Amino acid sequence: PAVAKAVPVSEATAVPLRALGCPVDVRPNGVTWPVDPVPLDVHEPPVVGSAALLVGWKGHEVLLEAIARLPDVRLELAGGHLPADEHYVAALHTRAEAPDLAGRVRFLGPVDAMAAMRPWNVAVLASTSPEAGPLSILEAMSLGLPVVATDHGGSAEYLRDGRGVLAQPGDPDDLAASIEAALDPTWRAEFATAGRSFVAAHHDRAQTLPAQYRAMLEPIHD
């Protein structure tokens, strides 16, 4: 009752707010635009990356199991962690050192996401819980980098209609198959074009930030 209006960043986030009777005004997140695209050639071996804080619900353990099913693929994990998640991060390192992954996983730590993504062939966000409006996906799409994400929340809104590949949450087999699809040369140019066009049309930060600011000041129209 104390909330006059909520400004969610995706329709997925708006659904539970509306169910509570909260007035909403959806205003999406945005990223820097324009940016230079990455090459679409696939490295040998291919490099898959994920830019996300190392916390349990981001699904890194599922991603490691997916990469274990793809013996010719390397993985880079960009992102720091909070003190409370040290045991989780230690478990990730232990899994990455197992024979089926040894030498194929790099933990980059807290780095500039856009710079880290440029050498990747596929960006993955394996979150086991729904994301509201993940910036890392939009950043990857702005670069023309093919993206794989789990099929819920704002991630699904971003990647539907051929803009990327959606995998079932918590399913390493489906995630591995989705990564293979994103590495297929047949589709990579289409993902790149669709992703960059989508960001240019809907997620340019020069437009979205002022829109979010105005939405928090204006009366609700819902």
Side-chain angles (χ1 to χ4, degrees):
V3 177
K5 176 171 62 173
V7 184
V9 297
S10 64
E11 287 295 334
T13 319
V15 170
L17 294 169
R18 289 193 178 106
L20 291 171
C22 184
V24 301
D25 189 354
V26 179
R27 301 289 175 165
N29 280 332
V31 293
T32 300
W33 181 263
V35 295
D36 293 332
V38 297
L40 287 177
D41 298 336
V42 176
H43 306 316
E44 186 57 47
V47 179
V48 171
S50 182
L53 193 67
L54 300 182
V55 296
W57 70 275
K58 292 289 187 178
H60 293 93
E61 73 282 6
V62 182
L63 178 54
L64 287 172
E65 296 303 331
I67 296 300
R69 290 156 169 76
L70 302 171
D72 297 325
V73 173
R74 295 183 181 272
L75 174 65
E76 292 187 349
L77 300 177
H81 67 276
L82 303 175
D85 296 303
E86 288 181 358
H87 291 295
Y88 175 71
V89 175
L92 295 179
H93 279 269
T94 298
R95 180 65 184 93
E97 292 164 3
D100 57 351
L101 285 172
R104 296 199 289 129
V105 181
R106 292 181 63 206
F107 291 83
L108 304 182
V111 294
D112 178 83
M114 292 286 281
M117 288 178 183
R118 285 195 169 273
W120 297 349
N121 298 129
V122 177
V124 180
L125 192 61
S127 304
T128 55
S129 296
E131 298 269 0
L135 290 173
S136 64
I137 290 182
L138 294 176
E139 289 170 336
M141 294 172 78
S142 75
L143 294 170
L145 188 62
V147 180
V148 174
T150 39
D151 191 5
H152 49 191
S155 303
E157 290 183 26
Y158 293 165
L159 298 185
R160 65 167 61 112
D161 298 328
R163 293 187 289 268
V165 186
L166 291 166
Q168 291 303 305
D171 186 337
D173 291 319
D174 194 46
L175 186 59
S178 298
I179 292 170
E180 286 187 310
L183 287 168
D184 187 336
T186 306
W187 302 107
R188 292 177 63 78
E190 292 188 21
F191 293 147
T193 300
R196 281 173 60 82
S197 297
F198 181 70
V199 170
H202 305 288
H203 297 280
D204 179 352
R205 186 166 60 186
Q207 305 298 322
T208 60
L209 277 179
Q212 289 175 337
Y213 179 71
R214 289 193 301 269
M216 288 186 284
L217 299 180
E218 294 170 351
I220 184 69
H221 300 291
D222 190 3

